[in-house]
Amino acid sequence: MKDLSKITEIEDLRVIAERKVPRMFYDYVDSGSWTQTTYRNNETDFDRIKLRQRVLVDMDNRSLQSSMIGEQVSMPIAIAPTGFTGMMWANGEMHAAKAAKDFGIPFSLSTMSINSIEDVAEYTNHPFWFQLYVMRDKEFMVNLINRAKQANCSALVLTADLQVLGQRHKDIKNGLSAPPKPTLTNILNLLTKPEWCFNMLGAKRRTFGNIVGHAKGVADMSSLSAWTAEQFDPSLSWDDVADIKELWGGKLIIKGIMEPEDAILAARSGADALIVSNHGGRQLDGAPSSIACLSDIVQAVKAENSDIEVWLDSGIRSGQDVLKAISLGAKGTMIGRAFLYGLGAYGEDGVRRALEILYKECDVTMAFCGHTNINEVDENILVKGTYENLKAALPYTPAIRWG
């Protein structure tokens, strides 16, 4: 392992990843839809929430250990499913899954991953979660779920907020597609990324491993683009959830809940967990941040007397963000960009470093707030007036890197 001790925050990893990863793939990760307002607010709304410092509290024997859908975790974080992960670093999904396993947290594999379900299962030899995009090709969908079963995936994550694709301006400008377009600009940019290019020579795959060779009529890169362009199913509805749950037969997680009404429907669907998420600000621009919606959804689920767990995704860049989400009622959290920056910077070692940073920040902040057990943290660690009505808060001045 490399000595990454001087890497002290997730932002350090982001800066290095921006330098090392080709522009089209870095921008795919580090951007939102339309004006990117929701993407920015996912982060900045966490900054509005202030913490109460407590002193002369016995801080020995601290623990971040918790559980997510019955699985023991070293801290209440899971790696979120992200597309194109294997283009941030060669065999990226395999390396991220291994780092998560070693750290004792869950890893989620996207339908739109570069490495296949089977690749990750063979590399980690450890149960992981599989994220499902519902496609029009139902035979492919059934086979995909069965492949996840055969790989001993321990949960299915159903993404509910991508029936149609949000417009991401940077991807259009960069010509990002499946497969990517070899424009002169992109080729010239690749020439400035020698480490990435060298690593990619040893990549097991360079296209969507769950699709090519498995979907009917998709045998190579040339046929992939047309297939993906027409496959996301806009007719997906709550009526389909029961069928998917029955076909899967195991733990079900629904990702993309932003309103109490949908949280209630998720609770009534029989799902084991729901994820408060706006897809990282990559779908509906102008929607509130995920953290702004969390409290209302937690209260709605409580009113239902449901056992469904509420998690939070989108915007987490520090262990303090994790602690704030837990204090507002989340049972767990998911990280996407935070681990992708680490992956793009240093591969598997970078993902481990990202997790170490998040753990340390969460642990020390919890101690300063007067707690030694993450499972006992509640909103009493927060300054009143800084978290109650984030949806109606005045506009926040974004960090300088947003322009």
Side-chain angles (χ1 to χ4, degrees), residues 225-389:
S225 181
W227 188 89
T228 54
E230 64 183 22
Q231 277 298 318
F232 289 103
D233 189 353
S235 69
L236 176 67
S237 71
W238 287 105
D239 294 336
D240 299 306
V241 174
D243 293 337
I244 292 169
K245 181 176 173 61
E246 182 179 2
L247 181 62
W248 169 243
K251 297 287 182 69
L252 179 67
I253 302 160
I254 300 179
K255 180 175 181 286
I257 304 299
M258 288 289 287
E259 291 294 332
E261 297 95 323
D262 288 330
I264 290 169
L265 292 172
R268 293 174 181 175
S269 75
D272 298 278
L274 67 83
I275 305 171
V276 180
S277 172
N278 54 37
H279 215 98
R282 295 166 63 76
Q283 285 296 93
L284 176 60
D285 191 39
S289 66
S290 291
I291 191 64
C293 298
L294 177 60
S295 292
D296 287 347
I297 287 174
V298 168
Q299 293 305 314
V301 168
K302 283 183 179 178
E304 279 288 296
N305 294 315
S306 172
D307 293 330
I308 193 170
E309 294 184 9
V310 177
W311 305 344
L312 182 124
D313 165 79
S314 301
I316 290 176
R317 303 291 185 272
S318 71
Q320 288 198 339
D321 294 341
V322 172
L323 195 69
K324 290 171 182 178
I326 298 300
S327 72
L328 290 174
K331 174 69 172 171
T333 61
M334 298 191 96
I335 57 168
R337 293 180 177 96
F339 95 85
L340 289 169
Y341 296 146
L343 183 67
Y346 296 108
E348 195 170 310
D349 290 340
V351 177
R352 288 195 183 94
R353 186 56 185 156
L355 297 177
E356 290 169 353
I357 289 168
L358 294 172
Y359 187 98
K360 180 73 170 180
E361 290 171 339
C362 191
D363 173 61
V364 171
T365 302
M366 180 177 70
F368 284 144
C369 291
H371 284 274
T372 57
N373 187 331
I374 192 80
N375 299 298
E376 296 175 357
V377 168
D378 59 22
E379 64 184 26
N380 287 318
I381 73 167
L382 306 178
V383 174
K384 288 189 179 301
T386 66
Y387 63 89
E388 289 88 348
N389 199 14

Side-chain angles (χ1 to χ4, degrees), residues 136-205:
R136 296 177 190 268
D137 185 339
K138 300 310 177 189
E139 181 181 354
F140 170 76
M141 293 300 304
V142 171
N143 289 338
L144 194 60
I145 291 173
N146 286 334
R147 288 168 59 200
K149 286 182 184 180
Q150 291 168 10
N152 295 317
C153 292
S154 57
L156 187 73
V157 183
L158 174 62
T159 293
D161 62 352
L162 208 142
Q163 293 160 277
V164 295
L165 188 65
Q167 182 165 306
R168 301 153 193 177
H169 292 172
K170 287 187 179 180
D171 290 349
I172 295 172
K173 289 178 170 65
N174 289 330
L176 185 68
S177 59
K181 297 175 183 177
T183 65
L184 178 61
T185 299
N186 290 335
I187 291 171
L188 291 175
N189 183 251
L190 283 175
L191 295 176
T192 68
K193 314 294 179 182
E195 182 181 8
W196 184 92
C197 292
F198 179 78
N199 286 337
M200 278 296 163
L201 292 176
K204 189 178 183 75
R205 302 182 194 279

